[in-house]
Amino acid sequence: EAQVTQNPRYLITVTGKKLTVTCSQNMNHEYMSWYRQDPGLGLRQIYYSMNVEVTDKGDVPEGYKVSRKEKRNFPLILESPSPNQTSLYFCASSLYRGDEQFFGPGTRLTVL
Amino acid sequence: EDQVTQSPEALRLQEGESSSLNCSYTVSGLRGLFWYRQDPGKGPEFLFTLYSAGEEKEKERLKATLTKKESFLHITAPKPEDSATYLCAVTPTSGTYKYIFGTGTRLKVLA
């Protein structure tokens, strides 16, 4: 089944404790992206990747890191999480840049 | 600045009562406009892509249209299962390959 998977689905952590949220797609898509969704603010793009080893900042990249070492995986790294990073995070992929995206099920992160 | 505005924020309809959702956008150039449906606690689900003014796409009770400044999602004779948040997004033709989303319209269809 074609899908985007994210892990973990739920995470509660404390300020400053490094964490990684994994994202994987099995559709051989070139473009992958991370979003955060907050009430009243909608989906905002954090980082995106147009292919292996090619990443760029979205609209809200501060406090996040990404890497794209393999085509199928695009992990999101929070090196020192803060409470304002409490949010619902979505990973998405598309065949090429500019195409419709397919979204993962989401990761709900709480930073205390 | 590239921007997407959706209206209304929320909409309640009786079953069978047709209506339209609006997505107005400001971009330097439009590469594509996308409509998604999102159910509570789930990831957005792709509905339509529109590329140029005058284009229309249809799927069951939904029809999406595009002008140079806005897009409409028309819902004909909605059913309770159409209740969801509908999101609009654009990707501009400028040098970056970002996607900009609106804040969505929460639709509730009453039986």
Side-chain angles (χ1 to χ4, degrees):
Chain A
E1 181 191 354
Q3 59 183 349
V4 178
T5 57
Q6 296 178 226
N7 282 292
R9 295 289 314 281
Y10 302 91
L11 180 59
I12 300 175
T13 189
V14 295
T15 299
K17 186 176 181 183
K18 181 178 178 179
L19 66 91
T20 299
V21 184
T22 65
C23 172
S24 183
Q25 50 91 7
N26 63 0
M27 297 171 278
N28 202 36
H29 283 177
E30 286 192 356
Y31 186 99
M32 296 186 74
S33 183
W34 276 103
Y35 295 87
R36 61 178 290 171
Q37 188 172 39
D38 302 289
L41 297 177
L43 277 163
R44 292 179 293 167
Q45 198 167 24
I46 303 171
Y47 269 96
Y48 61 92
S49 168
M50 289 185 284
N51 215 323
V52 175
E53 303 291 3
V54 181
T55 63
D56 206 349
K57 297 177 181 179
D59 289 328
V60 288
E62 295 78 20
Y64 304 94
K65 281 179 61 176
V66 293
S67 67
R68 186 99 180 267
K69 295 185 171 60
E70 304 168 284
K71 197 170 187 178
R72 64 183 294 129
N73 296 323
F74 190 45
L76 180 69
I77 302 157
L78 285 72
E79 295 212 320
S80 184
S82 62
N84 64 13
Q85 293 178 297
T86 293
S87 187
L88 180 58
Y89 291 86
F90 289 102
C91 179
S93 72
S94 61
L95 184 59
Y96 298 114
R97 55 198 184 191
D99 288 344
E100 66 270 16
Q101 295 177 92
F102 295 88
F103 282 80
T107 295
R108 187 166 293 280
L109 172 66
T110 301
V111 183
L112 302 174
Chain B
E1 182 186 348
D2 299 326
Q3 194 170 330
V4 175
T5 303
Q6 291 187 247
S7 62
E9 283 188 22
L11 183 62
R12 290 166 71 93
L13 299 172
Q14 289 295 131
E15 184 172 4
E17 180 187 2
S18 301
S19 189
S20 297
L21 313 183
N22 178 263
C23 170
S24 58
Y25 60 91
T26 306
V27 290
S28 48
L30 182 69
R31 182 181 302 274
L33 184 142
F34 308 90
W35 282 98
Y36 291 87
R37 170 193 171 124
Q38 186 176 25
D39 293 302
K42 295 193 174 182
E45 176 187 340
F46 170 71
L47 294 173
F48 302 109
T49 307
L50 301 166
Y51 291 106
S52 55
E55 191 174 358
E56 298 182 352
K57 294 269 179 78
E58 229 172 316
K59 179 180 177 181
E60 295 180 357
R61 295 177 292 283
L62 300 178
K63 180 179 176 181
T65 61
L66 181 65
T67 73
K68 288 188 177 179
K69 293 184 178 179
E70 57 191 350
S71 176
F72 292 93
L73 185 66
H74 307 278
I75 305 177
T76 301
K79 298 182 177 182
E81 53 261 43
D82 294 323
S83 298
T85 296
Y86 290 86
L87 302 173
C88 173
V90 299
T91 185
T93 55
S94 60
T96 64
Y97 291 92
K98 297 180 185 179
Y99 290 79
I100 301 110
F101 278 79
T103 52
T105 293
R106 292 190 312 277
L107 175 65
K108 177 75 173 176
V109 182
L110 305 170

Coordinates of all heavy atoms in Angstrom, one line a residue, chain B residues 22-99:
Chain B
N22 N -14.6 29.4 -0.4 CA -13.8 30.3 -1.1 C -12.3 30.2 -0.7 O -12.0 30.0 0.5 CB -14.3 31.7 -1.0 CG -13.4 32.7 -1.7 OD1 -12.5 33.3 -1.1 ND2 -13.6 32.8 -3.0
C23 N -11.4 30.3 -1.7 CA -10.0 30.4 -1.4 C -9.4 31.5 -2.3 O -9.4 31.3 -3.5 CB -9.3 29.0 -1.7 SG -7.5 29.1 -1.7
S24 N -9.0 32.6 -1.7 CA -8.4 33.6 -2.5 C -6.9 33.6 -2.2 O -6.5 33.3 -1.1 CB -9.0 35.0 -2.1 OG -8.9 35.3 -0.8
Y25 N -6.1 33.9 -3.2 CA -4.7 33.7 -3.1 C -4.0 34.9 -3.7 O -4.5 35.6 -4.6 CB -4.2 32.4 -3.8 CG -4.5 32.3 -5.2 CD1 -3.6 32.8 -6.2 CD2 -5.7 31.8 -5.7 CE1 -3.8 32.7 -7.5 CE2 -6.0 31.7 -7.0 CZ -5.1 32.1 -8.0 OH -5.3 32.0 -9.3
T26 N -2.8 35.2 -3.2 CA -1.9 36.2 -3.7 C -0.5 35.6 -3.8 O 0.1 35.2 -2.8 CB -1.8 37.4 -2.7 OG1 -3.1 37.9 -2.4 CG2 -0.9 38.5 -3.3
V27 N -0.1 35.4 -5.1 CA 1.2 34.8 -5.3 C 1.8 35.5 -6.5 O 1.1 36.1 -7.3 CB 1.2 33.3 -5.6 CG1 0.8 32.5 -4.4 CG2 0.2 33.0 -6.8
S28 N 3.1 35.5 -6.6 CA 3.8 36.1 -7.7 C 3.5 35.4 -9.0 O 3.4 36.1 -10.0 CB 5.3 36.1 -7.4 OG 5.7 34.8 -7.1
G29 N 3.2 34.2 -9.0 CA 2.8 33.4 -10.1 C 2.3 32.1 -9.6 O 2.9 31.5 -8.7
L30 N 1.3 31.6 -10.2 CA 0.7 30.3 -9.7 C 1.2 29.1 -10.5 O 1.0 29.0 -11.7 CB -0.8 30.4 -9.8 CG -1.6 29.2 -9.2 CD1 -1.4 29.1 -7.7 CD2 -3.0 29.2 -9.6
R31 N 1.9 28.2 -9.7 CA 2.3 26.9 -10.3 C 1.1 25.9 -10.2 O 0.8 25.2 -11.1 CB 3.5 26.4 -9.6 CG 4.0 25.1 -10.2 CD 5.2 24.6 -9.5 NE 6.3 25.5 -9.5 CZ 7.2 25.7 -10.4 NH1 7.2 24.9 -11.5 NH2 8.2 26.6 -10.3
G32 N 0.4 25.9 -9.1 CA -0.7 25.0 -8.9 C -1.5 25.4 -7.6 O -0.9 25.9 -6.7
L33 N -2.8 25.1 -7.6 CA -3.6 25.3 -6.5 C -4.2 23.9 -6.1 O -4.7 23.2 -7.0 CB -4.7 26.3 -6.8 CG -5.6 26.7 -5.6 CD1 -6.0 28.1 -5.6 CD2 -6.9 25.8 -5.5
F34 N -4.2 23.6 -4.8 CA -4.6 22.3 -4.4 C -5.8 22.4 -3.3 O -5.8 23.3 -2.5 CB -3.5 21.6 -3.7 CG -2.2 21.5 -4.6 CD1 -1.3 22.5 -4.5 CD2 -2.0 20.5 -5.5 CE1 -0.2 22.5 -5.3 CE2 -0.9 20.5 -6.2 CZ 0.1 21.5 -6.2
W35 N -6.7 21.5 -3.4 CA -7.7 21.3 -2.4 C -7.5 20.0 -1.6 O -7.3 18.9 -2.3 CB -9.1 21.4 -2.9 CG -9.6 22.7 -3.3 CD1 -9.6 23.3 -4.5 CD2 -10.2 23.7 -2.4 NE1 -10.1 24.6 -4.5 CE2 -10.5 24.8 -3.2 CE3 -10.5 23.7 -1.0 CZ2 -11.1 26.0 -2.6 CZ3 -11.1 24.8 -0.5 CH2 -11.4 25.9 -1.3
Y36 N -7.6 20.1 -0.3 CA -7.5 18.9 0.5 C -8.7 18.8 1.5 O -9.3 19.8 1.9 CB -6.2 18.9 1.4 CG -4.9 18.8 0.6 CD1 -4.3 19.9 0.1 CD2 -4.3 17.6 0.4 CE1 -3.2 19.8 -0.6 CE2 -3.1 17.4 -0.3 CZ -2.6 18.6 -0.8 OH -1.4 18.5 -1.5
R37 N -9.0 17.6 1.9 CA -10.0 17.4 3.0 C -9.2 16.8 4.2 O -8.4 16.0 4.0 CB -11.0 16.4 2.5 CG -11.9 15.9 3.6 CD -12.7 14.6 3.2 NE -13.4 14.1 4.3 CZ -14.7 13.9 4.4 NH1 -15.5 14.2 3.3 NH2 -15.2 13.4 5.5
Q38 N -9.6 17.4 5.4 CA -8.9 16.8 6.6 C -10.0 16.5 7.6 O -10.8 17.3 8.0 CB -7.9 17.9 7.2 CG -7.2 17.3 8.4 CD -6.1 18.3 8.9 OE1 -6.2 19.5 8.7 NE2 -5.1 17.8 9.5
D39 N -10.0 15.2 8.0 CA -10.8 14.8 9.1 C -10.1 15.0 10.4 O -8.9 14.9 10.5 CB -11.2 13.3 8.9 CG -12.1 13.2 7.7 OD1 -13.2 13.8 7.7 OD2 -11.8 12.4 6.8
P40 N -10.8 15.1 11.6 CA -10.2 15.4 12.9 C -9.2 14.3 13.2 O -9.4 13.1 13.1 CB -11.4 15.4 13.8 CG -12.6 15.8 13.0 CD -12.3 15.2 11.7
G41 N -8.0 14.8 13.6 CA -6.9 13.9 14.0 C -6.2 13.1 12.9 O -5.4 12.3 13.2
K42 N -6.5 13.5 11.7 CA -5.9 12.8 10.5 C -5.1 13.7 9.6 O -5.3 14.9 9.7 CB -7.0 12.0 9.7 CG -7.7 10.9 10.5 CD -8.5 10.1 9.6 CE -9.1 8.9 10.3 NZ -9.8 8.0 9.5
G43 N -4.3 13.1 8.7 CA -3.6 14.0 7.8 C -4.5 14.4 6.6 O -5.5 13.7 6.3
P44 N -4.2 15.5 6.0 CA -5.0 16.0 4.9 C -5.0 14.9 3.8 O -4.0 14.3 3.5 CB -4.3 17.3 4.4 CG -3.6 17.7 5.7 CD -3.1 16.5 6.4
E45 N -6.1 14.9 3.1 CA -6.3 13.9 2.0 C -6.5 14.7 0.7 O -7.4 15.6 0.6 CB -7.6 13.1 2.3 CG -7.9 12.1 1.1 CD -9.2 11.4 1.4 OE1 -9.7 11.4 2.6 OE2 -9.9 10.9 0.5
F46 N -5.8 14.5 -0.3 CA -5.8 15.2 -1.6 C -7.1 15.0 -2.3 O -7.7 13.9 -2.4 CB -4.7 14.7 -2.5 CG -4.7 15.3 -3.9 CD1 -4.5 16.6 -4.1 CD2 -5.1 14.4 -4.9 CE1 -4.6 17.1 -5.4 CE2 -5.2 14.9 -6.2 CZ -4.9 16.3 -6.5
L47 N -7.6 16.2 -2.8 CA -8.9 16.2 -3.6 C -8.6 16.6 -5.0 O -8.9 15.8 -6.0 CB -9.9 17.2 -3.0 CG -10.5 16.8 -1.6 CD1 -11.3 18.0 -1.1 CD2 -11.3 15.5 -1.7
F48 N -8.1 17.8 -5.3 CA -8.0 18.3 -6.6 C -6.7 19.2 -6.8 O -6.2 19.8 -5.8 CB -9.1 19.3 -7.0 CG -10.5 18.7 -6.9 CD1 -11.3 19.1 -5.8 CD2 -10.9 17.8 -7.8 CE1 -12.6 18.6 -5.7 CE2 -12.2 17.2 -7.7 CZ -13.1 17.6 -6.6
T49 N -6.2 19.2 -8.0 CA -5.2 20.2 -8.4 C -5.7 21.0 -9.6 O -6.3 20.4 -10.5 CB -3.9 19.5 -8.9 OG1 -3.4 18.6 -7.9 CG2 -2.8 20.6 -9.2
L50 N -5.5 22.3 -9.5 CA -5.9 23.2 -10.6 C -4.7 24.0 -11.0 O -3.9 24.5 -10.1 CB -7.0 24.2 -10.1 CG -8.3 23.5 -9.7 CD1 -9.2 24.5 -9.0 CD2 -9.1 22.9 -10.9
Y51 N -4.5 24.2 -12.3 CA -3.3 24.9 -12.7 C -3.5 26.2 -13.4 O -2.6 27.1 -13.3 CB -2.5 24.0 -13.7 CG -2.0 22.7 -13.1 CD1 -2.5 21.5 -13.3 CD2 -0.8 22.8 -12.3 CE1 -2.0 20.3 -12.7 CE2 -0.3 21.7 -11.7 CZ -0.9 20.5 -11.9 OH -0.3 19.3 -11.3
S52 N -4.7 26.4 -14.1 CA -4.8 27.7 -14.8 C -6.3 28.1 -14.7 O -7.2 27.3 -14.5 CB -4.4 27.5 -16.3 OG -5.2 26.4 -16.9
A53 N -6.4 29.5 -14.8 CA -7.7 30.1 -14.7 C -8.7 29.5 -15.7 O -8.3 29.3 -16.9 CB -7.6 31.6 -15.0
G54 N -9.9 29.2 -15.3 CA -10.9 28.6 -16.1 C -11.0 27.1 -16.0 O -12.0 26.4 -16.4
E55 N -10.0 26.5 -15.3 CA -10.0 25.1 -15.1 C -11.0 24.6 -14.1 O -11.2 25.3 -13.1 CB -8.6 24.6 -14.7 CG -8.4 23.1 -14.8 CD -6.9 22.7 -14.5 OE1 -6.1 23.6 -14.3 OE2 -6.7 21.5 -14.5
E56 N -11.6 23.5 -14.3 CA -12.6 22.9 -13.4 C -12.3 21.4 -13.2 O -11.9 20.8 -14.1 CB -14.0 23.1 -13.9 CG -14.5 24.5 -14.0 CD -15.9 24.6 -14.5 OE1 -16.5 23.6 -14.8 OE2 -16.4 25.8 -14.5
K57 N -12.5 20.9 -11.9 CA -12.4 19.5 -11.7 C -13.6 19.1 -10.8 O -14.0 19.8 -10.0 CB -11.1 19.2 -10.9 CG -9.8 19.5 -11.7 CD -9.3 18.3 -12.4 CE -8.0 18.6 -13.2 NZ -6.8 18.6 -12.3
E58 N -14.0 17.8 -11.0 CA -15.2 17.4 -10.3 C -15.0 16.0 -9.8 O -14.3 15.1 -10.4 CB -16.3 17.3 -11.3 CG -17.6 17.9 -10.9 CD -18.7 18.0 -12.0 OE1 -18.4 18.4 -13.1 OE2 -19.8 17.7 -11.6
K59 N -15.6 15.7 -8.6 CA -15.5 14.4 -8.0 C -16.7 14.2 -7.1 O -16.8 15.0 -6.1 CB -14.2 14.3 -7.2 CG -14.0 13.0 -6.5 CD -12.7 13.0 -5.7 CE -12.4 11.7 -4.9 NZ -11.2 11.8 -4.2
E60 N -17.6 13.4 -7.4 CA -18.8 13.1 -6.7 C -19.5 14.4 -6.5 O -19.9 15.1 -7.4 CB -18.5 12.4 -5.4 CG -17.9 11.0 -5.6 CD -17.6 10.3 -4.3 OE1 -17.7 10.8 -3.2 OE2 -17.1 9.1 -4.4
R61 N -19.7 14.8 -5.2 CA -20.5 16.0 -5.0 C -19.7 17.3 -4.9 O -20.2 18.4 -4.7 CB -21.2 15.9 -3.6 CG -22.2 14.8 -3.6 CD -22.9 14.6 -2.2 NE -21.9 14.1 -1.2 CZ -21.5 12.8 -1.1 NH1 -22.0 11.9 -2.0 NH2 -20.6 12.5 -0.2
L62 N -18.4 17.2 -5.2 CA -17.5 18.3 -5.1 C -17.0 18.8 -6.5 O -16.8 18.0 -7.4 CB -16.2 17.9 -4.3 CG -16.4 17.5 -2.9 CD1 -15.1 17.1 -2.3 CD2 -17.1 18.6 -2.1
K63 N -16.9 20.1 -6.7 CA -16.4 20.7 -7.9 C -15.6 21.9 -7.6 O -16.0 22.8 -6.8 CB -17.6 21.1 -8.8 CG -17.2 21.8 -10.1 CD -18.4 22.2 -10.9 CE -18.1 22.9 -12.2 NZ -19.3 23.3 -13.0
A64 N -14.3 21.9 -8.1 CA -13.4 22.9 -7.8 C -13.2 23.8 -9.1 O -13.1 23.2 -10.2 CB -12.1 22.4 -7.4
T65 N -13.2 25.1 -8.9 CA -13.0 26.0 -10.1 C -11.9 27.0 -9.7 O -11.6 27.2 -8.5 CB -14.3 26.8 -10.4 OG1 -14.7 27.6 -9.3 CG2 -15.4 25.8 -10.7
L66 N -11.3 27.6 -10.7 CA -10.2 28.5 -10.5 C -10.3 29.7 -11.4 O -10.6 29.6 -12.6 CB -8.9 27.8 -10.9 CG -7.6 28.6 -10.7 CD1 -7.3 28.9 -9.2 CD2 -6.4 27.8 -11.2
T67 N -10.1 30.9 -10.8 CA -9.9 32.2 -11.5 C -8.5 32.7 -11.2 O -7.7 32.0 -10.5 CB -10.9 33.2 -11.1 OG1 -10.6 33.7 -9.8 CG2 -12.3 32.6 -11.1
K68 N -8.2 33.9 -11.7 CA -6.8 34.4 -11.5 C -6.6 34.8 -10.1 O -5.4 35.0 -9.7 CB -6.6 35.6 -12.5 CG -6.4 35.1 -13.9 CD -6.0 36.3 -14.8 CE -5.8 35.8 -16.2 NZ -5.4 36.8 -17.1
K69 N -7.6 35.0 -9.3 CA -7.4 35.5 -7.9 C -8.0 34.5 -6.9 O -7.7 34.7 -5.7 CB -8.1 36.8 -7.7 CG -7.4 37.9 -8.5 CD -8.0 39.3 -8.2 CE -7.3 40.4 -9.0 NZ -7.9 41.7 -8.7
E70 N -8.9 33.6 -7.3 CA -9.5 32.8 -6.3 C -9.9 31.4 -6.8 O -10.0 31.2 -8.1 CB -10.7 33.5 -5.6 CG -11.7 33.9 -6.6 CD -12.7 34.9 -5.9 OE1 -12.8 35.1 -4.7 OE2 -13.5 35.5 -6.7
S71 N -10.2 30.5 -5.9 CA -10.8 29.2 -6.3 C -12.0 29.0 -5.4 O -12.1 29.4 -4.3 CB -9.7 28.1 -6.0 OG -10.3 26.9 -6.3
F72 N -12.9 28.3 -6.0 CA -14.1 27.9 -5.2 C -14.2 26.3 -5.2 O -13.9 25.7 -6.2 CB -15.4 28.4 -5.9 CG -15.5 29.9 -5.8 CD1 -15.0 30.7 -6.8 CD2 -16.0 30.5 -4.7 CE1 -15.1 32.1 -6.7 CE2 -16.1 31.9 -4.6 CZ -15.7 32.7 -5.6
L73 N -14.7 25.9 -4.0 CA -15.0 24.4 -3.9 C -16.6 24.4 -3.7 O -17.1 24.8 -2.7 CB -14.3 23.8 -2.7 CG -14.5 22.3 -2.6 CD1 -13.9 21.5 -3.8 CD2 -13.9 21.8 -1.3
H74 N -17.2 23.9 -4.7 CA -18.7 23.9 -4.7 C -19.1 22.5 -4.2 O -18.6 21.5 -4.7 CB -19.3 24.1 -6.1 CG -18.8 25.4 -6.8 ND1 -19.4 26.6 -6.5 CD2 -17.8 25.6 -7.7 CE1 -18.7 27.5 -7.2 NE2 -17.8 26.9 -7.9
I75 N -20.0 22.5 -3.2 CA -20.5 21.2 -2.7 C -22.0 21.1 -3.0 O -22.8 21.9 -2.5 CB -20.3 21.1 -1.2 CG1 -18.8 21.4 -0.9 CG2 -20.7 19.8 -0.6 CD1 -18.5 21.4 0.6
T76 N -22.3 20.1 -3.8 CA -23.7 20.0 -4.3 C -24.4 18.9 -3.5 O -23.9 17.8 -3.3 CB -23.8 19.6 -5.7 OG1 -23.1 20.6 -6.5 CG2 -25.2 19.5 -6.3
A77 N -25.6 19.2 -2.9 CA -26.4 18.3 -2.1 C -25.5 17.5 -1.1 O -25.4 16.3 -1.2 CB -27.1 17.3 -3.0
P78 N -24.9 18.2 -0.2 CA -23.9 17.5 0.7 C -24.6 16.6 1.6 O -25.8 16.7 2.0 CB -23.3 18.7 1.5 CG -24.4 19.8 1.5 CD -25.0 19.7 0.1
K79 N -23.8 15.6 2.1 CA -24.3 14.6 3.1 C -23.5 14.7 4.3 O -22.4 15.3 4.3 CB -24.1 13.2 2.5 CG -24.9 12.9 1.2 CD -24.7 11.5 0.7 CE -25.5 11.3 -0.5 NZ -25.4 9.9 -1.0
P80 N -23.9 14.2 5.4 CA -23.2 14.3 6.7 C -21.7 13.8 6.6 O -20.9 14.4 7.3 CB -24.0 13.4 7.7 CG -25.4 13.5 7.2 CD -25.3 13.6 5.7
E81 N -21.5 12.8 5.8 CA -20.1 12.4 5.6 C -19.2 13.3 4.9 O -18.0 13.1 4.9 CB -20.1 11.0 4.9 CG -20.8 11.0 3.6 CD -22.2 10.4 3.7 OE1 -22.9 10.7 4.6 OE2 -22.6 9.6 2.8
D82 N -19.7 14.4 4.4 CA -18.9 15.5 3.8 C -18.4 16.4 4.9 O -17.5 17.3 4.6 CB -19.7 16.3 2.8 CG -20.0 15.4 1.6 OD1 -19.2 14.6 1.1 OD2 -21.2 15.6 1.0
S83 N -18.8 16.2 6.1 CA -18.3 17.1 7.2 C -16.8 16.9 7.4 O -16.4 15.7 7.6 CB -19.1 16.8 8.5 OG -20.4 17.0 8.4
A84 N -16.1 17.9 7.4 CA -14.6 17.9 7.5 C -14.1 19.3 7.4 O -14.9 20.3 7.2 CB -14.0 17.1 6.4
T85 N -12.8 19.5 7.5 CA -12.1 20.8 7.3 C -11.6 20.7 5.9 O -10.9 19.7 5.5 CB -11.0 21.1 8.3 OG1 -11.6 21.3 9.6 CG2 -10.3 22.4 7.9
Y86 N -11.8 21.7 5.0 CA -11.3 21.7 3.7 C -10.2 22.8 3.6 O -10.4 23.9 4.0 CB -12.5 22.0 2.7 CG -13.4 20.9 2.6 CD1 -14.5 20.7 3.5 CD2 -13.3 19.9 1.6 CE1 -15.3 19.6 3.5 CE2 -14.1 18.8 1.6 CZ -15.1 18.7 2.5 OH -16.0 17.6 2.5
L87 N -9.1 22.3 3.1 CA -7.9 23.2 3.0 C -7.5 23.5 1.6 O -7.7 22.6 0.7 CB -6.7 22.4 3.7 CG -6.8 22.0 5.1 CD1 -5.6 21.1 5.5 CD2 -6.9 23.2 6.0
C88 N -7.1 24.7 1.4 CA -6.6 25.1 0.1 C -5.1 25.4 0.2 O -4.7 26.0 1.3 CB -7.4 26.4 -0.3 SG -6.8 27.2 -1.8
A89 N -4.3 25.1 -0.8 CA -2.9 25.4 -0.8 C -2.5 25.8 -2.2 O -3.1 25.4 -3.2 CB -2.1 24.2 -0.3
V90 N -1.4 26.7 -2.2 CA -0.8 27.1 -3.5 C 0.7 26.8 -3.5 O 1.3 26.8 -2.4 CB -1.1 28.5 -3.9 CG1 -2.6 28.8 -3.9 CG2 -0.4 29.5 -2.9
T91 N 1.2 26.6 -4.7 CA 2.7 26.6 -4.8 C 3.0 27.6 -5.9 O 2.4 27.5 -7.0 CB 3.2 25.2 -5.1 OG1 4.6 25.2 -5.1 CG2 2.7 24.6 -6.4
P92 N 3.9 28.6 -5.6 CA 4.1 29.6 -6.6 C 5.2 29.3 -7.6 O 5.9 28.3 -7.5 CB 4.6 30.8 -5.7 CG 5.2 30.1 -4.5 CD 4.5 28.8 -4.3
T93 N 5.3 30.1 -8.7 CA 6.3 29.8 -9.7 C 7.6 30.4 -9.4 O 8.6 30.3 -10.1 CB 5.8 30.4 -11.1 OG1 5.5 31.8 -10.9 CG2 4.6 29.6 -11.6
S94 N 7.7 31.1 -8.2 CA 9.0 31.8 -7.9 C 10.0 30.7 -7.6 O 9.7 29.5 -7.6 CB 8.8 32.6 -6.6 OG 8.3 31.9 -5.6
G95 N 11.3 31.1 -7.4 CA 12.4 30.2 -7.3 C 12.3 29.1 -6.3 O 12.9 28.0 -6.4
T96 N 11.5 29.3 -5.2 CA 11.4 28.2 -4.2 C 10.3 27.3 -4.6 O 9.5 27.6 -5.5 CB 11.2 28.8 -2.8 OG1 9.9 29.5 -2.8 CG2 12.2 29.8 -2.4
Y97 N 10.2 26.2 -3.9 CA 9.2 25.2 -4.1 C 8.4 24.9 -2.8 O 8.2 23.8 -2.4 CB 9.8 23.9 -4.7 CG 10.3 24.2 -6.1 CD1 11.6 24.6 -6.3 CD2 9.5 24.1 -7.2 CE1 12.1 24.8 -7.5 CE2 9.9 24.3 -8.4 CZ 11.2 24.7 -8.6 OH 11.7 25.0 -9.9
K98 N 8.0 26.0 -2.2 CA 7.2 26.0 -1.0 C 5.7 25.7 -1.4 O 5.3 25.9 -2.5 CB 7.2 27.3 -0.2 CG 8.6 27.6 0.3 CD 8.5 29.0 1.0 CE 9.9 29.4 1.5 NZ 9.8 30.7 2.2
Y99 N 5.0 25.3 -0.4 CA 3.5 25.2 -0.4 C 3.0 26.1 0.7 O 3.4 26.1 1.8 CB 3.0 23.8 -0.2 CG 3.4 22.8 -1.3 CD1 4.6 22.3 -1.4 CD2 2.4 22.4 -2.2 CE1 4.9 21.4 -2.4 CE2 2.7 21.5 -3.3 CZ 4.0 21.0 -3.3 OH 4.3 20.1 -4.4

